[in-house]
Amino acid sequence: MRRRTRRNDDAPAEGAGGEGAGGGEGGGGDEAADAAACASLSGTQREAVRAAMREQLLVLTGGPGTGKTYTVKQIVEGWRRRGKRVVLACPTARAAPVLAAPVTPPP
Protein backbone atom coordinates (compact mmCIF):
# COMPACT_ATOMS: atom_id res chain seq x y z
CA MET A 1 0.00 0.00 0.00
CA ARG A 2 1.48 3.37 -1.01
CA ARG A 3 0.41 6.72 0.31
CA ARG A 4 1.11 10.26 -0.81
CA THR A 5 0.53 13.18 1.48
CA ARG A 6 0.64 16.94 1.39
CA ARG A 7 1.68 18.55 4.65
CA ASN A 8 -0.84 20.84 6.29
CA ASP A 9 1.29 23.83 7.33
CA ASP A 10 -1.42 24.97 9.74
CA ALA A 11 -1.47 21.67 11.61
CA PRO A 12 0.15 21.49 15.03
CA ALA A 13 3.51 19.74 15.11
CA GLU A 14 3.50 16.10 16.11
CA GLY A 15 5.29 14.97 19.26
CA ALA A 16 8.67 13.31 18.92
CA GLY A 17 7.27 9.90 19.83
CA GLY A 18 4.52 9.97 17.21
CA GLU A 19 2.30 7.75 19.37
CA GLY A 20 -1.46 7.82 18.88
CA ALA A 21 -3.36 8.76 15.78
CA GLY A 22 -2.40 12.41 15.71
CA GLY A 23 -3.28 15.52 17.59
CA GLY A 24 -6.94 16.13 17.12
CA GLU A 25 -9.43 18.25 18.92
CA GLY A 26 -11.34 16.62 21.71
CA GLY A 27 -10.70 14.83 24.94
CA GLY A 28 -8.70 11.80 25.97
CA GLY A 29 -11.52 9.51 24.87
CA ASP A 30 -10.48 10.08 21.27
CA GLU A 31 -6.99 8.75 21.99
CA ALA A 32 -8.32 5.61 23.66
CA ALA A 33 -10.75 4.99 20.80
CA ASP A 34 -7.99 5.64 18.25
CA ALA A 35 -5.68 3.19 20.00
CA ALA A 36 -8.38 0.51 20.05
CA ALA A 37 -9.14 1.06 16.35
CA CYS A 38 -5.47 0.92 15.40
CA ALA A 39 -4.96 -2.36 17.25
CA SER A 40 -6.62 -4.25 14.38
CA LEU A 41 -4.48 -2.59 11.67
CA SER A 42 -1.21 -3.69 10.11
CA GLY A 43 1.82 -1.43 10.54
CA THR A 44 1.36 0.13 7.10
CA GLN A 45 -2.34 0.72 7.71
CA ARG A 46 -1.59 2.27 11.11
CA GLU A 47 0.94 4.59 9.47
CA ALA A 48 -1.68 5.65 6.89
CA VAL A 49 -4.27 6.37 9.60
CA ARG A 50 -1.77 8.48 11.56
CA ALA A 51 -0.77 10.37 8.40
CA ALA A 52 -4.43 11.04 7.60
CA MET A 53 -4.94 12.55 11.04
CA ARG A 54 -2.10 15.03 10.62
CA GLU A 55 -2.05 15.77 6.86
CA GLN A 56 -4.37 17.93 4.82
CA LEU A 57 -4.55 15.44 1.94
CA LEU A 58 -3.93 11.69 1.78
CA VAL A 59 -3.92 9.55 -1.35
CA LEU A 60 -4.19 5.87 -0.43
CA THR A 61 -3.33 3.34 -3.12
CA GLY A 62 -2.74 -0.39 -3.26
CA GLY A 63 -3.69 -3.59 -4.98
CA PRO A 64 -6.80 -5.67 -4.37
CA GLY A 65 -7.09 -7.08 -0.87
CA THR A 66 -4.50 -4.80 0.73
CA GLY A 67 -6.96 -3.25 3.18
CA LYS A 68 -7.59 0.16 1.59
CA THR A 69 -11.32 0.19 2.36
CA TYR A 70 -10.79 -0.94 5.96
CA THR A 71 -8.07 1.70 6.42
CA VAL A 72 -10.36 4.42 5.03
CA LYS A 73 -13.11 3.28 7.41
CA GLN A 74 -10.73 3.73 10.38
CA ILE A 75 -9.68 7.18 9.11
CA VAL A 76 -13.30 8.33 8.67
CA GLU A 77 -14.30 7.02 12.11
CA GLY A 78 -11.33 8.83 13.68
CA TRP A 79 -12.32 12.15 12.16
CA ARG A 80 -15.98 11.64 13.05
CA ARG A 81 -15.00 11.04 16.69
CA ARG A 82 -13.49 14.52 16.51
CA GLY A 83 -16.69 15.99 15.06
CA LYS A 84 -15.14 16.58 11.65
CA ARG A 85 -16.66 16.22 8.20
CA VAL A 86 -14.80 13.96 5.77
CA VAL A 87 -14.85 14.16 1.97
CA LEU A 88 -13.81 11.09 -0.04
CA ALA A 89 -13.07 10.89 -3.75
CA CYS A 90 -12.78 7.89 -6.07
CA PRO A 91 -11.25 7.67 -9.53
CA THR A 92 -14.25 5.78 -10.94
CA ALA A 93 -18.00 5.61 -10.42
CA ARG A 94 -17.62 1.87 -9.84
CA ALA A 95 -15.30 2.46 -6.88
CA ALA A 96 -17.58 5.01 -5.18
CA PRO A 97 -20.22 2.61 -3.77
CA VAL A 98 -17.50 0.19 -2.65
CA LEU A 99 -15.85 2.96 -0.64
CA ALA A 100 -19.09 4.53 0.57
CA ALA A 101 -20.63 1.34 1.99
CA PRO A 102 -18.36 0.87 5.04
CA VAL A 103 -18.19 4.59 5.92
CA THR A 104 -21.87 5.52 5.56
CA PRO A 105 -23.47 5.83 8.99
CA PRO A 106 -26.61 3.78 9.56
CA PRO A 107 -29.92 5.64 9.17
Side-chain angles (χ1 to χ4, degrees):
M1 194 167 14
R2 294 181 344 210
R3 65 175 173 78
R4 289 177 257 162
T5 60
R6 185 178 81 184
R7 180 77 182 133
N8 180 357
D9 293 330
D10 297 329
E14 287 293 309
E19 292 299 317
E25 298 168 6
D30 288 339
E31 292 177 17
D34 289 342
C38 282
S40 63
L41 300 173
S42 72
T44 305
Q45 289 171 317
R46 213 173 359 264
E47 181 184 338
V49 170
R50 288 178 178 151
M53 300 312 254
R54 71 176 179 266
E55 306 294 340
Q56 188 176 27
L57 173 69
L58 178 76
V59 176
L60 188 63
T61 64
T66 57
K68 296 178 300 294
T69 302
Y70 186 71
T71 302
V72 168
K73 179 181 179 188
Q74 298 306 314
I75 292 167
V76 170
E77 288 176 357
W79 281 116
R80 284 184 177 154
R81 281 191 296 273
R82 289 164 174 75
K84 301 294 182 176
R85 181 174 161 251
V86 179
V87 177
L88 302 174
C90 296
T92 65
R94 184 177 175 190
V98 173
L99 185 60
V103 299
T104 302

